[in-house]
PDB file of all heavy atoms in Angstrom:
ATOM      1  N   LYS A  55     -39.250   0.853   2.713  1.00 94.00           N
ATOM      2  CA  LYS A  55     -38.944   2.072   3.456  1.00 94.00           C
ATOM      3  C   LYS A  55     -40.029   2.322   4.501  1.00 94.00           C
ATOM      4  O   LYS A  55     -41.183   1.971   4.294  1.00 94.00           O
ATOM      5  CB  LYS A  55     -38.896   3.246   2.479  1.00 94.00           C
ATOM      6  CG  LYS A  55     -37.986   3.007   1.297  1.00 94.00           C
ATOM      7  CD  LYS A  55     -38.132   4.073   0.220  1.00 94.00           C
ATOM      8  CE  LYS A  55     -39.360   3.881  -0.643  1.00 94.00           C
ATOM      9  NZ  LYS A  55     -39.434   4.823  -1.778  1.00 94.00           N
ATOM     10  N   LEU A  73     -51.148  14.299   8.241  1.00 97.00           N
ATOM     11  CA  LEU A  73     -52.004  13.512   7.348  1.00 97.00           C
ATOM     12  C   LEU A  73     -51.556  13.633   5.896  1.00 97.00           C
ATOM     13  O   LEU A  73     -51.576  12.653   5.144  1.00 97.00           O
ATOM     14  CB  LEU A  73     -53.465  13.961   7.490  1.00 97.00           C
ATOM     15  CG  LEU A  73     -54.095  13.660   8.858  1.00 97.00           C
ATOM     16  CD1 LEU A  73     -55.502  14.209   8.919  1.00 97.00           C
ATOM     17  CD2 LEU A  73     -54.088  12.167   9.138  1.00 97.00           C
ATOM     18  N   ILE A  74     -51.141  14.824   5.505  1.00 97.00           N
ATOM     19  CA  ILE A  74     -50.658  15.018   4.126  1.00 97.00           C
ATOM     20  C   ILE A  74     -49.373  14.220   3.911  1.00 97.00           C
ATOM     21  O   ILE A  74     -49.227  13.510   2.910  1.00 97.00           O
ATOM     22  CB  ILE A  74     -50.430  16.519   3.834  1.00 97.00           C
ATOM     23  CG1 ILE A  74     -51.780  17.233   3.758  1.00 97.00           C
ATOM     24  CG2 ILE A  74     -49.636  16.696   2.543  1.00 97.00           C
ATOM     25  CD1 ILE A  74     -51.685  18.739   3.614  1.00 97.00           C
ATOM     26  N   SER A  77     -50.131  10.304   3.922  1.00 97.00           N
ATOM     27  CA  SER A  77     -50.753   9.762   2.708  1.00 97.00           C
ATOM     28  C   SER A  77     -49.782   9.820   1.536  1.00 97.00           C
ATOM     29  O   SER A  77     -49.731   8.911   0.704  1.00 97.00           O
ATOM     30  CB  SER A  77     -52.057  10.499   2.391  1.00 97.00           C
ATOM     31  OG  SER A  77     -51.842  11.886   2.329  1.00 97.00           O
ATOM     32  N   THR A  78     -48.993  10.895   1.476  1.00 97.00           N
ATOM     33  CA  THR A  78     -48.033  11.017   0.375  1.00 97.00           C
ATOM     34  C   THR A  78     -46.931   9.960   0.495  1.00 97.00           C
ATOM     35  O   THR A  78     -46.557   9.332  -0.499  1.00 97.00           O
ATOM     36  CB  THR A  78     -47.424  12.431   0.333  1.00 97.00           C
ATOM     37  OG1 THR A  78     -48.488  13.381   0.265  1.00 97.00           O
ATOM     38  CG2 THR A  78     -46.517  12.613  -0.870  1.00 97.00           C
ATOM     39  N   ALA A  80     -47.209   7.120   1.869  1.00 97.00           N
ATOM     40  CA  ALA A  80     -47.820   5.833   1.501  1.00 97.00           C
ATOM     41  C   ALA A  80     -47.844   5.689  -0.019  1.00 97.00           C
ATOM     42  O   ALA A  80     -47.614   4.603  -0.555  1.00 97.00           O
ATOM     43  CB  ALA A  80     -49.217   5.718   2.085  1.00 97.00           C
ATOM     44  N   ALA A  81     -48.079   6.806  -0.725  1.00 96.00           N
ATOM     45  CA  ALA A  81     -48.081   6.767  -2.197  1.00 96.00           C
ATOM     46  C   ALA A  81     -46.692   6.443  -2.739  1.00 96.00           C
ATOM     47  O   ALA A  81     -46.552   5.876  -3.815  1.00 96.00           O
ATOM     48  CB  ALA A  81     -48.580   8.101  -2.764  1.00 96.00           C
ATOM     49  N   PHE A  82     -45.657   6.817  -1.998  1.00 96.00           N
ATOM     50  CA  PHE A  82     -44.276   6.504  -2.378  1.00 96.00           C
ATOM     51  C   PHE A  82     -43.913   5.049  -2.058  1.00 96.00           C
ATOM     52  O   PHE A  82     -42.821   4.612  -2.357  1.00 96.00           O
ATOM     53  CB  PHE A  82     -43.294   7.405  -1.613  1.00 96.00           C
ATOM     54  CG  PHE A  82     -42.974   8.711  -2.282  1.00 96.00           C
ATOM     55  CD1 PHE A  82     -43.848   9.775  -2.225  1.00 96.00           C
ATOM     56  CD2 PHE A  82     -41.777   8.896  -2.958  1.00 96.00           C
ATOM     57  CE1 PHE A  82     -43.550  10.990  -2.816  1.00 96.00           C
ATOM     58  CE2 PHE A  82     -41.462  10.105  -3.553  1.00 96.00           C
ATOM     59  CZ  PHE A  82     -42.357  11.156  -3.489  1.00 96.00           C
ATOM     60  N   GLY A  83     -44.809   4.363  -1.375  1.00 95.00           N
ATOM     61  CA  GLY A  83     -44.521   2.985  -1.005  1.00 95.00           C
ATOM     62  C   GLY A  83     -43.951   2.831   0.396  1.00 95.00           C
ATOM     63  O   GLY A  83     -43.503   1.743   0.769  1.00 95.00           O
ATOM     64  N   TYR A  84     -43.936   3.914   1.176  1.00 96.00           N
ATOM     65  CA  TYR A  84     -43.468   3.798   2.555  1.00 96.00           C
ATOM     66  C   TYR A  84     -44.504   3.070   3.399  1.00 96.00           C
ATOM     67  O   TYR A  84     -45.702   3.204   3.182  1.00 96.00           O
ATOM     68  CB  TYR A  84     -43.259   5.184   3.191  1.00 96.00           C
ATOM     69  CG  TYR A  84     -41.961   5.845   2.816  1.00 96.00           C
ATOM     70  CD1 TYR A  84     -41.805   6.480   1.596  1.00 96.00           C
ATOM     71  CD2 TYR A  84     -40.885   5.842   3.699  1.00 96.00           C
ATOM     72  CE1 TYR A  84     -40.619   7.094   1.241  1.00 96.00           C
ATOM     73  CE2 TYR A  84     -39.691   6.463   3.369  1.00 96.00           C
ATOM     74  CZ  TYR A  84     -39.564   7.087   2.128  1.00 96.00           C
ATOM     75  OH  TYR A  84     -38.381   7.695   1.792  1.00 96.00           O
ATOM     76  N   ASN A 143     -61.234  26.151  -2.024  1.00 89.00           N
ATOM     77  CA  ASN A 143     -60.018  25.743  -2.736  1.00 89.00           C
ATOM     78  C   ASN A 143     -59.990  24.263  -3.067  1.00 89.00           C
ATOM     79  O   ASN A 143     -59.001  23.772  -3.592  1.00 89.00           O
ATOM     80  CB  ASN A 143     -58.785  26.085  -1.900  1.00 89.00           C
ATOM     81  CG  ASN A 143     -58.416  27.535  -2.032  1.00 89.00           C
ATOM     82  OD1 ASN A 143     -57.949  27.975  -3.072  1.00 89.00           O
ATOM     83  ND2 ASN A 143     -58.664  28.302  -0.985  1.00 89.00           N
ATOM     84  N   ASP A 144     -61.078  23.555  -2.714  1.00 89.00           N
ATOM     85  CA  ASP A 144     -61.079  22.108  -2.946  1.00 89.00           C
ATOM     86  C   ASP A 144     -59.934  21.418  -2.222  1.00 89.00           C
ATOM     87  O   ASP A 144     -59.428  20.398  -2.683  1.00 89.00           O
ATOM     88  CB  ASP A 144     -60.960  21.801  -4.445  1.00 89.00           C
ATOM     89  CG  ASP A 144     -62.325  21.536  -5.042  1.00 89.00           C
ATOM     90  OD1 ASP A 144     -63.180  21.022  -4.318  1.00 89.00           O
ATOM     91  OD2 ASP A 144     -62.533  21.864  -6.228  1.00 89.00           O
ATOM     92  N   THR A 145     -59.517  22.003  -1.118  1.00 93.00           N
ATOM     93  CA  THR A 145     -58.512  21.326  -0.302  1.00 93.00           C
ATOM     94  C   THR A 145     -59.204  20.159   0.397  1.00 93.00           C
ATOM     95  O   THR A 145     -60.354  20.283   0.821  1.00 93.00           O
ATOM     96  CB  THR A 145     -57.942  22.300   0.753  1.00 93.00           C
ATOM     97  OG1 THR A 145     -57.422  23.435   0.076  1.00 93.00           O
ATOM     98  CG2 THR A 145     -56.844  21.653   1.585  1.00 93.00           C
ATOM     99  N   ALA A 146     -58.502  19.048   0.487  1.00 94.00           N
ATOM    100  CA  ALA A 146     -59.109  17.879   1.136  1.00 94.00           C
ATOM    101  C   ALA A 146     -59.425  18.204   2.594  1.00 94.00           C
ATOM    102  O   ALA A 146     -58.682  18.934   3.241  1.00 94.00           O
ATOM    103  CB  ALA A 146     -58.146  16.703   1.055  1.00 94.00           C
ATOM    104  N   GLU A 150     -61.396  13.408   4.900  1.00 93.00           N
ATOM    105  CA  GLU A 150     -61.009  12.777   3.628  1.00 93.00           C
ATOM    106  C   GLU A 150     -59.568  12.265   3.685  1.00 93.00           C
ATOM    107  O   GLU A 150     -59.271  11.159   3.241  1.00 93.00           O
ATOM    108  CB  GLU A 150     -61.101  13.793   2.476  1.00 93.00           C
ATOM    109  CG  GLU A 150     -62.511  14.006   1.953  1.00 93.00           C
ATOM    110  CD  GLU A 150     -62.601  15.234   1.036  1.00 93.00           C
ATOM    111  OE1 GLU A 150     -61.630  16.015   0.946  1.00 93.00           O
ATOM    112  OE2 GLU A 150     -63.652  15.402   0.446  1.00 93.00           O
ATOM    113  N   LEU A 151     -58.685  13.119   4.228  1.00 95.00           N
ATOM    114  CA  LEU A 151     -57.275  12.728   4.293  1.00 95.00           C
ATOM    115  C   LEU A 151     -57.079  11.501   5.174  1.00 95.00           C
ATOM    116  O   LEU A 151     -56.293  10.609   4.861  1.00 95.00           O
ATOM    117  CB  LEU A 151     -56.430  13.883   4.830  1.00 95.00           C
ATOM    118  CG  LEU A 151     -56.131  15.000   3.840  1.00 95.00           C
ATOM    119  CD1 LEU A 151     -55.466  16.165   4.538  1.00 95.00           C
ATOM    120  CD2 LEU A 151     -55.245  14.486   2.713  1.00 95.00           C
ATOM    121  N   THR A 154     -58.521   8.455   3.349  1.00 95.00           N
ATOM    122  CA  THR A 154     -57.614   8.082   2.255  1.00 95.00           C
ATOM    123  C   THR A 154     -56.371   7.392   2.812  1.00 95.00           C
ATOM    124  O   THR A 154     -55.942   6.360   2.304  1.00 95.00           O
ATOM    125  CB  THR A 154     -57.188   9.348   1.475  1.00 95.00           C
ATOM    126  OG1 THR A 154     -58.356  10.004   1.003  1.00 95.00           O
ATOM    127  CG2 THR A 154     -56.299   9.004   0.303  1.00 95.00           C
ATOM    128  N   MET A 158     -54.952   3.604   2.225  1.00 95.00           N
ATOM    129  CA  MET A 158     -53.636   3.346   1.645  1.00 95.00           C
ATOM    130  C   MET A 158     -52.748   2.533   2.582  1.00 95.00           C
ATOM    131  O   MET A 158     -51.581   2.292   2.282  1.00 95.00           O
ATOM    132  CB  MET A 158     -52.941   4.655   1.306  1.00 95.00           C
ATOM    133  CG  MET A 158     -53.732   5.455   0.290  1.00 95.00           C
ATOM    134  SD  MET A 158     -52.905   6.953  -0.135  1.00 95.00           S
ATOM    135  CE  MET A 158     -51.705   6.335  -1.296  1.00 95.00           C
TER     136      MET A 158
ATOM    137  N   LYS B  14     -58.692  17.404 -11.680  1.00 95.00           N
ATOM    138  CA  LYS B  14     -58.826  18.865 -11.795  1.00 95.00           C
ATOM    139  C   LYS B  14     -59.497  19.403 -10.534  1.00 95.00           C
ATOM    140  O   LYS B  14     -60.467  18.844 -10.046  1.00 95.00           O
ATOM    141  CB  LYS B  14     -59.638  19.228 -13.036  1.00 95.00           C
ATOM    142  CG  LYS B  14     -58.899  18.928 -14.338  1.00 95.00           C
ATOM    143  CD  LYS B  14     -59.454  19.717 -15.528  1.00 95.00           C
ATOM    144  CE  LYS B  14     -60.803  19.222 -15.991  1.00 95.00           C
ATOM    145  NZ  LYS B  14     -60.753  17.926 -16.700  1.00 95.00           N
ATOM    146  N   GLY B  15     -58.953  20.484 -10.013  1.00 93.00           N
ATOM    147  CA  GLY B  15     -59.515  21.090  -8.808  1.00 93.00           C
ATOM    148  C   GLY B  15     -58.846  20.599  -7.537  1.00 93.00           C
ATOM    149  O   GLY B  15     -58.740  21.339  -6.576  1.00 93.00           O
ATOM    150  N   ALA B  16     -58.382  19.362  -7.541  1.00 93.00           N
ATOM    151  CA  ALA B  16     -57.777  18.806  -6.330  1.00 93.00           C
ATOM    152  C   ALA B  16     -56.397  19.420  -6.081  1.00 93.00           C
ATOM    153  O   ALA B  16     -55.665  19.705  -7.020  1.00 93.00           O
ATOM    154  CB  ALA B  16     -57.658  17.297  -6.445  1.00 93.00           C
ATOM    155  N   SER B  17     -56.094  19.629  -4.817  1.00 91.00           N
ATOM    156  CA  SER B  17     -54.769  20.163  -4.482  1.00 91.00           C
ATOM    157  C   SER B  17     -54.020  19.167  -3.599  1.00 91.00           C
ATOM    158  O   SER B  17     -54.574  18.150  -3.189  1.00 91.00           O
ATOM    159  CB  SER B  17     -54.912  21.520  -3.789  1.00 91.00           C
ATOM    160  OG  SER B  17     -55.742  21.410  -2.658  1.00 91.00           O
ATOM    161  N   CYS B  18     -52.782  19.497  -3.362  1.00 92.00           N
ATOM    162  CA  CYS B  18     -51.863  18.644  -2.589  1.00 92.00           C
ATOM    163  C   CYS B  18     -52.537  18.096  -1.332  1.00 92.00           C
ATOM    164  O   CYS B  18     -53.152  18.865  -0.613  1.00 92.00           O
ATOM    165  CB  CYS B  18     -50.639  19.448  -2.202  1.00 92.00           C
ATOM    166  SG  CYS B  18     -49.474  18.591  -1.129  1.00 92.00           S
ATOM    167  N   PRO B  19     -52.430  16.835  -1.022  1.00 94.00           N
ATOM    168  CA  PRO B  19     -51.620  15.798  -1.687  1.00 94.00           C
ATOM    169  C   PRO B  19     -52.418  14.933  -2.661  1.00 94.00           C
ATOM    170  O   PRO B  19     -51.921  13.917  -3.123  1.00 94.00           O
ATOM    171  CB  PRO B  19     -51.205  14.934  -0.492  1.00 94.00           C
ATOM    172  CG  PRO B  19     -52.430  14.930   0.381  1.00 94.00           C
ATOM    173  CD  PRO B  19     -53.039  16.312   0.223  1.00 94.00           C
ATOM    174  N   MET B  20     -53.658  15.341  -2.947  1.00 95.00           N
ATOM    175  CA  MET B  20     -54.553  14.428  -3.658  1.00 95.00           C
ATOM    176  C   MET B  20     -54.100  14.026  -5.067  1.00 95.00           C
ATOM    177  O   MET B  20     -54.276  12.863  -5.442  1.00 95.00           O
ATOM    178  CB  MET B  20     -55.973  14.985  -3.680  1.00 95.00           C
ATOM    179  CG  MET B  20     -56.655  14.853  -2.328  1.00 95.00           C
ATOM    180  SD  MET B  20     -56.499  13.149  -1.721  1.00 95.00           S
ATOM    181  CE  MET B  20     -57.416  13.216  -0.215  1.00 95.00           C
ATOM    182  N   VAL B  22     -51.164  13.333  -6.244  1.00 96.00           N
ATOM    183  CA  VAL B  22     -50.200  12.241  -6.109  1.00 96.00           C
ATOM    184  C   VAL B  22     -50.867  10.991  -5.527  1.00 96.00           C
ATOM    185  O   VAL B  22     -50.689   9.882  -6.032  1.00 96.00           O
ATOM    186  CB  VAL B  22     -49.003  12.669  -5.219  1.00 96.00           C
ATOM    187  CG1 VAL B  22     -48.225  11.460  -4.718  1.00 96.00           C
ATOM    188  CG2 VAL B  22     -48.081  13.601  -5.994  1.00 96.00           C
ATOM    189  N   VAL B  23     -51.657  11.203  -4.481  1.00 96.00           N
ATOM    190  CA  VAL B  23     -52.291  10.077  -3.798  1.00 96.00           C
ATOM    191  C   VAL B  23     -53.241   9.331  -4.743  1.00 96.00           C
ATOM    192  O   VAL B  23     -53.252   8.095  -4.812  1.00 96.00           O
ATOM    193  CB  VAL B  23     -53.028  10.587  -2.540  1.00 96.00           C
ATOM    194  CG1 VAL B  23     -53.971   9.543  -1.995  1.00 96.00           C
ATOM    195  CG2 VAL B  23     -52.020  11.011  -1.470  1.00 96.00           C
ATOM    196  N   LYS B  26     -51.313   7.409  -7.450  1.00 96.00           N
ATOM    197  CA  LYS B  26     -50.805   6.141  -6.916  1.00 96.00           C
ATOM    198  C   LYS B  26     -51.904   5.074  -6.930  1.00 96.00           C
ATOM    199  O   LYS B  26     -51.682   3.941  -7.373  1.00 96.00           O
ATOM    200  CB  LYS B  26     -50.279   6.382  -5.499  1.00 96.00           C
ATOM    201  CG  LYS B  26     -50.313   5.204  -4.566  1.00 96.00           C
ATOM    202  CD  LYS B  26     -49.273   4.168  -4.918  1.00 96.00           C
ATOM    203  CE  LYS B  26     -49.318   3.011  -3.915  1.00 96.00           C
ATOM    204  NZ  LYS B  26     -48.585   1.857  -4.404  1.00 96.00           N
ATOM    205  N   SER B  27     -53.105   5.442  -6.471  1.00 95.00           N
ATOM    206  CA  SER B  27     -54.193   4.469  -6.440  1.00 95.00           C
ATOM    207  C   SER B  27     -54.567   4.017  -7.849  1.00 95.00           C
ATOM    208  O   SER B  27     -54.826   2.837  -8.083  1.00 95.00           O
ATOM    209  CB  SER B  27     -55.427   5.060  -5.759  1.00 95.00           C
ATOM    210  OG  SER B  27     -55.114   5.418  -4.441  1.00 95.00           O
ATOM    211  N   ASP B  50     -44.539  17.698  -8.007  1.00 94.00           N
ATOM    212  CA  ASP B  50     -44.893  16.600  -7.104  1.00 94.00           C
ATOM    213  C   ASP B  50     -44.961  15.251  -7.811  1.00 94.00           C
ATOM    214  O   ASP B  50     -44.470  14.251  -7.295  1.00 94.00           O
ATOM    215  CB  ASP B  50     -46.239  16.893  -6.423  1.00 94.00           C
ATOM    216  CG  ASP B  50     -46.043  17.765  -5.181  1.00 94.00           C
ATOM    217  OD1 ASP B  50     -44.903  18.179  -4.930  1.00 94.00           O
ATOM    218  OD2 ASP B  50     -47.035  18.026  -4.482  1.00 94.00           O
ATOM    219  N   GLY B  53     -41.481  14.190  -8.720  1.00 93.00           N
ATOM    220  CA  GLY B  53     -40.770  13.699  -7.532  1.00 93.00           C
ATOM    221  C   GLY B  53     -41.281  12.354  -7.073  1.00 93.00           C
ATOM    222  O   GLY B  53     -40.501  11.467  -6.704  1.00 93.00           O
ATOM    223  N   TRP B  54     -42.585  12.203  -7.140  1.00 95.00           N
ATOM    224  CA  TRP B  54     -43.175  10.932  -6.717  1.00 95.00           C
ATOM    225  C   TRP B  54     -42.716   9.792  -7.638  1.00 95.00           C
ATOM    226  O   TRP B  54     -42.297   8.727  -7.170  1.00 95.00           O
ATOM    227  CB  TRP B  54     -44.715  11.034  -6.729  1.00 95.00           C
ATOM    228  CG  TRP B  54     -45.389   9.706  -6.595  1.00 95.00           C
ATOM    229  CD1 TRP B  54     -45.507   8.977  -5.445  1.00 95.00           C
ATOM    230  CD2 TRP B  54     -45.974   8.929  -7.639  1.00 95.00           C
ATOM    231  NE1 TRP B  54     -46.152   7.787  -5.714  1.00 95.00           N
ATOM    232  CE2 TRP B  54     -46.445   7.736  -7.049  1.00 95.00           C
ATOM    233  CE3 TRP B  54     -46.140   9.126  -9.009  1.00 95.00           C
ATOM    234  CZ2 TRP B  54     -47.078   6.748  -7.795  1.00 95.00           C
ATOM    235  CZ3 TRP B  54     -46.776   8.140  -9.740  1.00 95.00           C
ATOM    236  CH2 TRP B  54     -47.231   6.967  -9.140  1.00 95.00           C
ATOM    237  N   ALA B  55     -42.785  10.042  -8.952  1.00 95.00           N
ATOM    238  CA  ALA B  55     -42.403   8.993  -9.912  1.00 95.00           C
ATOM    239  C   ALA B  55     -40.922   8.636  -9.746  1.00 95.00           C
ATOM    240  O   ALA B  55     -40.537   7.472  -9.839  1.00 95.00           O
ATOM    241  CB  ALA B  55     -42.688   9.452 -11.337  1.00 95.00           C
ATOM    242  N   GLY B  57     -39.165   8.834  -6.991  1.00 92.00           N
ATOM    243  CA  GLY B  57     -38.877   8.174  -5.721  1.00 92.00           C
ATOM    244  C   GLY B  57     -39.674   6.902  -5.491  1.00 92.00           C
ATOM    245  O   GLY B  57     -39.593   6.318  -4.417  1.00 92.00           O
ATOM    246  N   THR B  58     -40.436   6.489  -6.470  1.00 93.00           N
ATOM    247  CA  THR B  58     -41.305   5.332  -6.287  1.00 93.00           C
ATOM    248  C   THR B  58     -40.909   4.213  -7.238  1.00 93.00           C
ATOM    249  O   THR B  58     -40.694   4.448  -8.420  1.00 93.00           O
ATOM    250  CB  THR B  58     -42.778   5.732  -6.542  1.00 93.00           C
ATOM    251  OG1 THR B  58     -43.101   6.819  -5.679  1.00 93.00           O
ATOM    252  CG2 THR B  58     -43.725   4.578  -6.269  1.00 93.00           C
ATOM    253  N   GLU B  59     -40.811   3.001  -6.693  1.00 92.00           N
ATOM    254  CA  GLU B  59     -40.447   1.866  -7.531  1.00 92.00           C
ATOM    255  C   GLU B  59     -41.627   1.428  -8.375  1.00 92.00           C
ATOM    256  O   GLU B  59     -42.776   1.492  -7.931  1.00 92.00           O
ATOM    257  CB  GLU B  59     -39.977   0.712  -6.651  1.00 92.00           C
ATOM    258  CG  GLU B  59     -38.531   0.898  -6.243  1.00 92.00           C
ATOM    259  CD  GLU B  59     -38.063  -0.195  -5.300  1.00 92.00           C
ATOM    260  OE1 GLU B  59     -38.514  -1.338  -5.478  1.00 92.00           O
ATOM    261  OE2 GLU B  59     -37.272   0.125  -4.411  1.00 92.00           O
TER     262      GLU B  59
END
Side-chain angles (χ1 to χ4, degrees):
Chain A
K55 308 170 282 186
L73 293 177
I74 290 174
S77 54
T78 305
F82 271 79
Y84 280 79
N143 280 289
D144 263 329
T145 303
E150 280 167 351
L151 283 172
T154 303
M158 299 182 80
Chain B
K14 291 200 288 287
S17 56
C18 175
M20 286 309 183
V22 163
V23 166
K26 153 72 178 165
S27 300
D50 275 4
W54 168 76
T58 304
E59 279 177 35

